[in-house]
Amino acid sequence: MSNAPHYDIDVPAFWADPYPDLARMRKQAPIAFVPQLGSTVFTRRDDIFSQERRIDVFSSHQPAGLMNVLMGHNMMRKDGEAHMSERAAMFPAVSPRTVRDIWVRQFQAHADRILAELAPIGRADLCKAFALPLSAECLKDVTGLTNMRFEDMDAWSQAMIDGIANYTGNQEIEARCHAATAGIDAAIDDMIPVVRKHPDSSILSVLLAAGQPMQSIRANIKLAISGGQNEPRDAIAGTVWALLTHPGQLALVRAGQTKWLDVFEEYARWIAPIGMSPRRVAKPWWFGGVDFEPGDRVFFMFGSANRDEACFSAPDRFDITRDTAKSIAFGAGPHYCAGAFASRAMVADVALPTIFARLKGLRLDSSEPVRIGGWAFRGLLNLPVTWEAG
Ligand code: HEM
C-alpha cells in the first residue's frame, strides 16, 4: 500500500471537469493516492515522463486485469521484448510511410463522401454526423475489417472500453463487451481469406504476414479498435469546437500563419483524448517521497501532465501558437501510441481542412449547449452546428 498523501475526489465532478482537482494535486500532492480510484496517480509531466520508462517498476503486465480477460493479451499489457516484437509486427500498417502512401488518400475519400451527403443539410451534430463515421471508416481500413459497419466499429469500441472499466462486475456491461469481441472475431474470420489472397497494408494483413499467433492478432486488433476509434473521433469534434470558440485562432490557420497540425497538437495537449494510462508496480520503489509496493496500481495522468504549469505557460488556455513539444498526449514511453501518425493525418491533413473548406459559414448552433465529459477518455458529447446549406 503506497504511503502517498491521500486526495479525495467527487467522481461525478471529476468526470465533468477533472482539471481543477488535477491542478490542486500538481501543487499540493503531485503523487497522490486517490481512494475513489483505488490508485496512486502521477500528475506532473516530468515525473510521468521519467517514470513511464521505468518498465521494471511501472509494469504494463497485468495478467488478471479486465483488459486481458475480456479482450485477450495485447501488446499494451506487455513489457520489454514481448511488447516490442508485437509492436514491430504492427508497425508496417501504421508507419509514416504507409500513412502517407496509402491511408491518407483513403481517409480523404471517406471525408469527401461523408461531407458530400452532409453539406446540403445545413445543420448537424458533427460528433455523430461526421467525426464518428469518419473515424470509424478510417479505422476499418487500417485494421483491415472493411466488412464491419461503421456504427458497429463505434459501438463495439465503446463496449470494450466500458467492459475494461467495469470494476463492479455489472453483468449487462460485461455481456455487451462479450458481444462486441465476438462480433470482431467474426469480422476477423471473414476477412482472413480475403487478405491472405490479396495482402494489403492493414493491421490484419501485416500481422498475418508476420506469422503472429492468431490469439495475439485478435487481441491486438481489439486493442486498435478500443484505442483507435474514440480518440480521433473526439479530437476531430474537439478541434472544430475549439476553433469555432476561438475565432481569432481559426483566422490564423485560414491565413496560413499556423498549420492544421498545430491545431491538432494543441487540442490534444489542452484536452487529452486519453487522460490516463494504468500501470502495476512490479518491485519496491521510492520516488518523489513516496514508497511503492509490488501490486500497487498507478495511473499516469496524461491529461494533467499536459496542463502542468512547469512546462506550459497559461496551460488552461487553448493557444495554437504555443510550443507543444512537451505534450504527452500520445504517451511518453515504449507504449507511445502506435496510431499517432494515422491520427495526425486523419485530423490535421484530412478532417480539419476538408470541413472548413466544405461547410461554408460553419458556426455553433446556439440553441443547444455543447457538452463535454470524461477524465480517462475525455471528449465532446455533442457538437450542434449550422452552415450555409448547399
Ligand atoms: C487522437 C488520437 C489518439 C490518441 C490521443 C491516442 C493516445 C494513445 C495513448 C495515450 C496511448 C498509451 C500510451 C502510453 O501508455 O504510453 C496509446 C496507445 C496505443 N494506441 Fe493510440 N491514440 C490515438 C489514436 C490511435 C489510433 C487511430 C490507433 C490505431 C490505428 C491507436 C492505436 C494504439 C495502440 C496499438 C496503442 C498501444 C501501443 C503500445 O502498447 O505499444 N491509437 N494511444
Side-chain angles (χ1 to χ4, degrees):
M1 182 69 177
S2 107
N3 64 347
H6 282 215
Y7 186 97
D8 286 297
I9 57 164
D10 173 61
V11 175
F14 196 66
W15 184 89
D17 182 2
Y19 297 116
D21 276 313
L22 293 170
R24 272 192 290 275
M25 279 190 250
R26 283 195 303 276
K27 206 164 166 195
Q28 297 164 9
I31 302 174
F33 181 75
V34 179
Q36 294 75 14
L37 304 180
S39 240
T40 303
V41 307
F42 277 65
T43 57
R44 283 190 183 159
R45 188 263 178 204
D46 288 348
D47 290 348
I48 296 174
F49 192 77
S50 70
Q51 296 306 296
E52 195 182 342
R53 284 145 209 268
R54 295 296 317 230
I55 60 172
D56 55 328
V57 180
F58 298 108
S59 169
S60 294
H61 187 59
Q62 301 163 24
L66 280 174
M67 187 182 244
N68 282 4
V69 172
L70 294 168
M71 290 166 48
H73 199 174
N74 63 52
M75 69 169 89
M76 209 163 81
R77 289 290 179 268
K78 293 184 183 178
D79 294 323
E81 176 49 31
H83 161 243
M84 289 314 281
S85 63
E86 291 182 23
R87 193 178 158 94
M90 187 189 279
F91 184 71
V94 288
S95 70
R97 178 185 292 191
T98 307
V99 170
R100 187 196 62 204
D101 293 348
I102 311 279
W103 301 135
V104 82
R105 221 172 336 110
Q106 295 182 208
F107 294 173
Q108 186 65 57
H110 293 309
D112 290 342
R113 180 176 44 76
I114 297 167
L115 281 176
E117 284 173 22
L118 209 55
I121 299 172
R123 66 184 328 124
D125 173 352
L126 272 198
C127 280
K128 289 198 182 62
F130 182 75
L132 184 159
L134 178 62
S135 178
E137 293 293 354
C138 297
L139 195 57
K140 282 167 56 181
D141 289 346
V142 174
T143 54
L145 301 188
T146 49
N147 52 346
M148 276 173 69
R149 298 183 327 136
F150 78 80
E151 295 90 339
D152 289 335
M153 180 60 89
D154 192 76
W156 292 350
S157 172
Q158 190 60 50
M160 290 191 292
I161 289 170
D162 294 343
I164 61 181
N166 181 22
Y167 299 116
T168 56
N170 179 306
Q171 292 200 339
E172 203 183 311
I173 294 176
E174 193 178 319
R176 243 186 298 127
C177 182
H178 284 313
T181 55
I184 294 167
D185 280 328
I188 292 173
D189 290 338
D190 274 358
M191 288 308 294
I192 287 175
V194 179
V195 294
R196 280 217 195 274
K197 194 162 177 200
H198 303 287
D200 58 25
S201 299
S202 68
I203 294 176
L204 177 60
S205 189
V206 304
L207 292 182
L208 283 169
Q212 290 281 301
M214 212 47 231
Q215 217 181 351
S216 136
I217 295 179
R218 290 185 192 283
N220 281 318
I221 288 184
K222 286 169 195 153
L223 168 66
I225 292 177
S226 72
Q229 166 61 14
N230 277 20
E231 300 75 8
R233 181 196 70 195
D234 294 347
I236 291 166
T239 43
V240 171
W241 170 71
L243 288 173
L244 293 179
T245 49
H246 296 78
Q249 305 207 27
L250 177 57
L252 283 181
V253 208
R254 285 201 192 273
Q257 287 175 28
T258 42
K259 300 194 208 82
W260 294 111
L261 185 59
D262 298 326
V263 179
F264 172 57
E265 298 289 358
E266 169 61 355
Y267 176 80
R269 179 204 68 80
W270 187 48
I271 300 183
I274 294 192
M276 75 91 173
S277 192
R279 297 292 185 272
R280 185 71 60 180
V281 174
K283 68 178 190 192
W285 188 243
W286 183 88
F287 180 81
V290 172
D291 291 317
F292 294 91
E293 299 297 336
D296 286 355
R297 191 162 65 164
V298 163
F299 289 168
F300 290 133
M301 305 295 273
F302 299 140
S304 173
N306 282 354
R307 295 215 185 188
D308 189 338
E309 27 299 280
C311 299
F312 305 99
S313 61
D316 294 333
R317 203 174 62 209
F318 175 73
D319 175 4
I320 61 174
T321 64
R322 78 164 74 237
D323 179 0
T324 55
K326 287 199 158 183
S327 166
I328 52 173
F330 287 110
H335 292 276
Y336 183 87
C337 176
F341 301 112
S343 304
R344 290 190 177 106
M346 201 189 307
V347 183
D349 296 345
V350 172
L352 290 176
T354 314
I355 281 201
F356 282 98
R358 292 293 300 276
L359 303 183
K360 304 284 182 212
L362 186 65
R363 60 197 170 275
L364 289 175
D365 179 348
S366 52
S367 64
E368 194 190 336
V370 169
R371 287 171 294 118
I372 180 161
W375 61 271
F377 294 92
R378 187 163 178 83
L380 266 59
L381 305 173
N382 66 335
L383 181 55
V385 289
T386 62
W387 61 91
E388 294 155 21

